[in-house]
Amino acid sequence: MTDLPEIHGPCPPRFAAVKDAFAANFTDAPEGLDELAAAFSVCIEGETVIDLRAGWADTARTRPFEADTLVPVYSTGKAVMATLIALCVERGLLEYDKPAAGYWPAFGQAGKAAITVGQLMSHQAGLPGFDEAIEPGLWFDREAVLERLCAQAPMWRPGSASGYHPITIGYLAGELFRRVDGRTMGTALREEFPGLDLWIGLPEAEHDRVAQLRKPTSAPDLGPVDAVKQAAFLDKGSAPGGRGSAEWRKMEIPSANLHGTAKDIARLVNVVANGGVLDGRTLLSPEVLVEMRRERIHGPDRVLPFDISWAAGLMRNEGLHIFGPNPTAAGHCGWGGSCAFVDPDANLSAAYVMTRQSPHLIGDPRAVRLHDALYAAL
């Protein structure tokens, strides 16, 4: 339990219970999860209606957590990545049901020629990690990573099951995007959404705005470990080295190192909940939204110890019940507890970021408490 810091940001009276829940995460959180700093933002029909923040941007408590404090949100960035891929589908550059190798011939090696874009984005490609352990520094050589993944055979029959790709999906989807769009995802994010404080690849000039995280006190529970989970999470080189370093922040890893604010994450993904519209611009058609959000596969995931209904880059709420009560909601969680989700039934999106990380792989109880309070107030 910690003292309650001053809470900043708008929260209309009808959502007072959300502000109470936000405060309770500081003063009455599960053991070891009391907040150091956090932010929670909700966007409804394109308008930010809640944008709460409180706490300190550093563990020494010398820098207040400001409106422009950036937080690394790890896999929560996959929701942004999925939206960028959907933009390519909207523009006719990609089709979810066409083989990825049709756009990127080298990817079709070693039994991967028939894997569709939709299967790749829903973690069915069988490439959750490397089949032989690598040095963590290899992740900083994008071309070397892609060469190895292209040459590698799937670790299970593609399309037969999902198996969460923690890091590799960012390299694969990022390269697919680059080949059809001509830009990296980091460049496209800045150019397509110039008013949003979101970064895939953070310039060094912005590093002083980044909040300091406190790592989880225990490891996540992956369930029984096999070779697939070992490659995805546990091998020496299963994740990039130097997380939090200047080199890591500057690298573009769409699946793992998005930096941003809760407000602007919620605003960007609101396009998926709000009929494809953001700030008056129609970016995604109803047809593409249906294809993006529909179920691609549902069942026991080979990597995460959950039954998951996967859309094209998003976890669907059906069966998980972590993004409010509506089964059509979908989103993504990040290492340590951050998350973002969209609910087309309510034209609503929300994002939660924090600095004290937890071991929960999905459905951090602090975020779920906020989601439950939000829906109780609607």
Side-chain angles (χ1 to χ4, degrees):
M1 181 178 295
T2 62
D3 294 332
L4 179 63
E6 185 176 358
I7 297 175
H8 302 273
C11 185
R14 66 179 286 209
F15 295 112
V18 177
K19 191 170 184 177
D20 290 344
F22 186 77
N25 281 342
F26 284 85
T27 62
D28 188 27
E31 184 177 355
L33 292 185
D34 47 306
E35 302 280 29
L36 295 172
F40 182 60
S41 192
V42 178
C43 190
I44 300 177
E45 296 181 347
E47 298 295 327
T48 299
V49 295
I50 299 172
D51 188 30
L52 298 172
R53 71 180 192 281
W56 302 93
D58 60 338
T59 56
R61 304 190 181 202
T62 63
R63 289 193 294 131
F65 192 93
E66 305 284 6
D68 67 347
T69 297
L70 299 174
V71 180
V73 297
Y74 299 98
S75 290
T76 296
K78 291 182 173 76
V80 173
M81 181 180 76
T83 305
L84 291 171
I85 289 291
L87 284 176
C88 288
V89 176
E90 178 67 38
R91 293 166 183 177
L93 303 175
L94 291 173
E95 292 185 38
Y96 285 121
D97 293 328
K98 291 289 182 68
Y103 308 100
W104 178 14
F107 178 75
Q109 300 176 62
K112 302 191 296 298
I115 295 172
T116 67
V117 174
Q119 288 174 327
L120 177 66
M121 293 303 297
S122 54
H123 301 267
Q124 299 183 63
L127 299 171
F130 295 105
D131 52 11
E132 295 183 4
I134 64 166
E135 289 297 320
L138 182 71
W139 293 100
F140 293 93
D141 186 340
R142 185 181 65 86
E143 290 297 333
V145 169
L146 294 173
E147 183 177 351
R148 289 193 61 149
L149 291 174
C150 284
Q152 183 172 308
M155 300 182 76
W156 63 86
R157 181 170 58 84
S160 65
S162 69
Y164 180 55
H165 294 38
I167 310 294
T168 55
I169 187 63
Y171 287 79
L172 297 168
E175 179 63 9
L176 193 60
F177 182 94
R178 188 189 68 81
R179 284 176 173 266
V180 300
D181 179 90
R183 299 172 293 179
T184 67
M185 280 191 168
T187 298
L189 179 61
R190 294 192 300 273
E191 292 179 353
E192 298 283 347
F193 306 98
L196 301 185
D197 200 1
L198 301 175
W199 307 82
I200 300 172
L202 185 68
E204 196 156 3
E206 308 291 341
H207 289 193
D208 287 346
R209 294 199 287 133
V210 178
Q212 184 180 2
L213 303 187
R214 180 168 291 181
K215 292 182 179 180
T217 56
S218 60
D221 180 9
L222 293 171
V225 174
D226 59 11
V228 172
K229 293 183 182 182
Q230 185 77 28
F233 276 122
L234 301 175
D235 279 341
K236 177 183 177 182
S238 61
R243 283 178 291 189
S245 67
E247 183 183 14
W248 180 84
R249 295 196 195 287
K250 289 187 290 185
M251 180 73 175
E252 288 195 22
I253 311 176
S255 53
N257 76 342
L258 179 81
H259 290 69
T261 65
K263 177 181 179 180
D264 285 341
I265 294 171
R267 286 188 64 212
L268 187 145
V269 299
N270 192 248
V271 68
V272 183
N274 191 39
V277 177
L278 178 67
D279 293 338
R281 292 189 300 157
T282 299
L283 297 173
L284 298 175
S285 64
E287 295 78 13
V288 169
L289 288 170
V290 167
E291 283 299 294
M292 178 191 184
R293 297 187 307 231
R294 75 170 176 85
E295 183 175 277
R296 299 278 165 176
I297 193 166
H298 189 178
D301 194 81
R302 294 289 305 266
V303 173
L304 297 176
F306 305 99
D307 276 23
I308 301 178
S309 171
W310 283 104
L314 299 174
M315 298 176 179
R316 300 175 76 248
N317 201 34
E318 184 177 353
L320 292 176
H321 308 299
I322 58 174
F323 302 129
N326 293 336
T328 57
H332 218 291
C333 302
W335 180 49
S338 65
C339 66
F341 77 93
V342 299
D343 180 350
D345 289 345
N347 281 19
L348 173 155
S349 61
Y352 164 73
V353 304
M354 74 302 126
T355 61
R356 185 189 293 276
Q357 295 182 295
S358 84
H360 294 273
L361 290 165
I362 63 174
D364 186 293
R366 297 168 295 182
V368 172
R369 171 187 262 170
L370 293 167
H371 300 164
D372 289 347
L374 171 63
Y375 278 91
L378 288 176

